[in-house]
Amino acid sequence: MPFDPATRRVPAVHKVVVLALDGVYPFELGIPHRVLGSADGRYEVLSASVDGQSVRTDSDLTVTPAYGPEVLADADTVVIPPYAVAPEAVADPRALAALSRVRPGTRLVSICTGAFLLAAAGLLDGRRATTHWALTDHFRKLFPRVEVDPGVLFVDHGDVLTSAGAASGVDVCLHLVRQDHGSEVANQVARCCVVPPYRDGGQAQYIERPLPPADGTGTGPTRDWALRRLELPLRLDELATHAAMSPRTFARRFQEETGLSPGRWLTQQRLRRARQLLESSDLPVERVAHEVGFATATSLRRHLAAEAGVAPSTYRRTFRASGAAGVSRAR
């Protein structure tokens, strides 16, 4: 039973095939196994090559997947980890032939340069997608029909997801678990993998931003402080006072370190917490809004509709009805 993008229902044991291409990056190749494989048997994760043979990586080692392209025909989700993209070649014809074995309705996920293969197959035409920020100019030249966005961690269209470089592969795999099985399972997986449980796909990639000085003047402690007080108004001047900065300096430092304004970041954190409460509790919407710091239930409804496209009651009902659903969409 393949993934159904309309209902987001998944089979009891979801079969994931990771397609390793020539020049694959070893770190990202292992991400689906590590993250999805930590979900207590909810996913069966297999590795495959385009011809059933060993695959050279971009490092000084070679990997030998246990399967060939034939397993793609039975996959519920196919993940394309990044590989070394040659300037003169769009995609290996063998890789395109392997991808053609994937049955309709199968969920496709790319990490970093894996988006190049999906684009070469025409699967991203007319869609918004992302890849590593350093390769977006090259991507645009090769695939002008794709709307590439270098400023986000991942883009979710339901049936096709693209993500940025390295650690965003962890983010998108945790996002899959969260969409398939809810926030509690995703949080358990994140704890097992010792990674943050959630980073919004719309969060900025880290694009040529200098690291803040390591002198205790960054905004990290204040972000931690704010996360423990989301139910409070938390005005900019209060945040700046906690960080011992002027509001102007704090806002500038915050943008440099997170890629977001303080107000936008707070809204994202409140929405994240609201979604967790909607999924895991029976609290009335008005109480959820109060618990996460929105002034009214109307404010929560407006922000959730802008982020997820649904009302809080619909969001909660979708999760409760399917037992493994989500409603995030590409924007």
Side-chain angles (χ1 to χ4, degrees), residues 244-293:
M245 302 178 191
S246 70
R248 182 175 180 179
T249 298
F250 178 81
R252 175 175 56 79
R253 287 278 183 85
F254 200 100
Q255 182 81 33
E256 289 173 351
E257 294 175 25
T258 69
L260 300 169
S261 69
R264 176 57 181 157
W265 180 85
L266 280 171
T267 296
Q268 285 192 354
Q269 303 312 309
R270 285 171 170 146
L271 283 171
R272 170 190 171 189
R273 179 59 180 150
R275 289 168 67 151
Q276 291 174 341
L277 289 175
L278 290 169
E279 294 169 19
S280 61
S281 78
D282 294 316
L283 292 175
V285 173
E286 291 77 9
R287 179 66 181 279
V288 170
H290 173 76
E291 290 287 330
V292 303

Side-chain angles (χ1 to χ4, degrees), residues 93-306:
R94 297 176 305 161
L96 291 173
L99 198 59
S100 69
R101 293 173 176 257
V102 176
R103 58 185 172 177
T106 300
R107 182 167 57 185
L108 300 171
V109 183
S110 69
I111 302 174
C112 192
T113 60
F116 280 73
L117 178 61
L118 297 183
L123 298 171
L124 300 179
D125 287 354
R127 290 185 164 191
R128 179 168 160 261
T130 194
T131 188
H132 194 286
W133 62 267
L135 294 170
T136 51
D137 288 342
H138 184 45
F139 190 95
R140 285 193 184 101
K141 290 177 183 178
L142 291 175
F143 310 111
R145 297 182 64 182
V146 182
E147 180 190 349
V148 61
D149 185 349
V152 296
L153 297 179
F154 57 85
V155 177
D156 179 3
H157 287 282
D159 59 332
V160 178
L161 297 89
T162 53
S163 63
S168 65
V170 176
D171 295 318
V172 77
C173 285
L174 279 173
H175 176 72
L176 295 179
V177 177
R178 188 173 188 276
Q179 297 290 52
D180 292 348
H181 301 290
S183 61
E184 290 190 19
V185 174
N187 289 343
Q188 292 170 2
V189 170
R191 283 193 294 271
C192 180
C193 297
V194 198
V195 295
Y198 181 76
R199 290 200 298 168
D200 193 311
Q203 182 173 328
Q205 291 188 41
Y206 294 103
I207 303 174
E208 294 186 327
R209 293 192 180 98
L211 291 173
D215 57 5
T217 62
T219 65
T222 297
R223 294 199 302 274
D224 292 339
W225 177 82
L227 286 173
R228 297 192 295 272
R229 295 165 174 81
L230 287 177
E231 74 279 6
L232 301 176
L234 296 177
R235 300 187 308 271
L236 176 61
D237 59 342
E238 292 177 294
L239 297 171
T241 297
H242 181 272
M245 302 178 191
S246 70
R248 182 175 180 179
T249 298
F250 178 81
R252 175 175 56 79
R253 287 278 183 85
F254 200 100
Q255 182 81 33
E256 289 173 351
E257 294 175 25
T258 69
L260 300 169
S261 69
R264 176 57 181 157
W265 180 85
L266 280 171
T267 296
Q268 285 192 354
Q269 303 312 309
R270 285 171 170 146
L271 283 171
R272 170 190 171 189
R273 179 59 180 150
R275 289 168 67 151
Q276 291 174 341
L277 289 175
L278 290 169
E279 294 169 19
S280 61
S281 78
D282 294 316
L283 292 175
V285 173
E286 291 77 9
R287 179 66 181 279
V288 170
H290 173 76
E291 290 287 330
V292 303
F294 287 113
T296 64
T298 299
S299 179
L300 170 58
R301 291 186 182 98
R302 177 167 55 84
H303 283 292
L304 188 62

Side-chain angles (χ1 to χ4, degrees), residues 19-45:
L19 182 61
L21 306 182
D22 196 39
V24 67
Y25 298 175
F27 172 73
E28 290 90 334
L29 174 62
I31 287 174
H33 294 270
R34 186 68 183 93
V35 176
L36 302 179
S38 298
D40 292 334
R42 292 176 173 86
Y43 299 92
E44 178 189 18
V45 186

